Amino acid sequence: MFRGVSPINLDAKGRMAVPARYRDLIEQLCANQLVATIDTEARCLLLYPLPEWELIQAKIEALPSYNPAARRIQRLLIGHATDLELDASGRLLLPTMLREYAQLDKKLVLVGQGKKFEIWDETLWNQTREEYLQAVSDAVLPEEMQLLSL
């Protein structure tokens, strides 16, 4: 579904234009209804088509709230989840709180992750990508990954 890295500009009002190549698919999947939330592992945002988010949210809600780690995830992911709608010009208005969390400035990167996107500040993405590339030589791949033929 969603793949690739797309550079995007954030306007002064906090809007980002979704690349045209994704707009028809977003319309088909979710009638332009999306949900953005924070990523708890990195300073980026997660952007889901609404039906996909509803599946994730149901799983998160099913976690035992008396478990501190589960409660943390519930508070962070569901608590920051924000309904967004792609406007007629293909733009999304990113709320200030989410932009501040992800340290989003004028230049963004939209990273396709299959069923969702990640939204990164361009500089932070470039730094993180370089860290990932440097760590590749030290990484031990799961057995399933070793079986893939690239």
Side-chain angles (χ1 to χ4, degrees), residues 6 40 59 76 78 80 112 116 118 121 129 140-141 144:
S6 304
T40 60
K59 291 176 184 177
L76 291 172
I78 297 173
H80 285 92
K116 68 178 181 289
E118 293 178 348
D121 172 77
R129 182 189 60 205
V140 176
L141 292 176
E144 297 83 7

Side-chain angles (χ1 to χ4, degrees), residues 18 22-35 48-51 83-92:
V18 172
Y22 298 122
R23 293 180 194 169
D24 287 341
L25 181 56
I26 291 170
E27 170 66 32
Q28 292 169 13
L29 290 173
C30 59
N32 294 328
Q33 302 299 306
L34 301 157
V35 175
Y48 292 91
L50 180 59
D83 293 300
L84 303 176
E85 184 171 0
L86 201 62
D87 71 14
S89 299
R91 298 173 302 189
L92 290 173

Side-chain angles (χ1 to χ4, degrees), residues 17 31 36 41 51 56 63 65 69 75 79 83 97 99 116 147-148:
E41 303 300 319
I56 301 293
L63 296 171
S65 61
R75 286 180 175 144
D83 293 300
M97 181 184 297
R99 290 194 318 262
K116 68 178 181 289
L147 297 175
L148 289 178

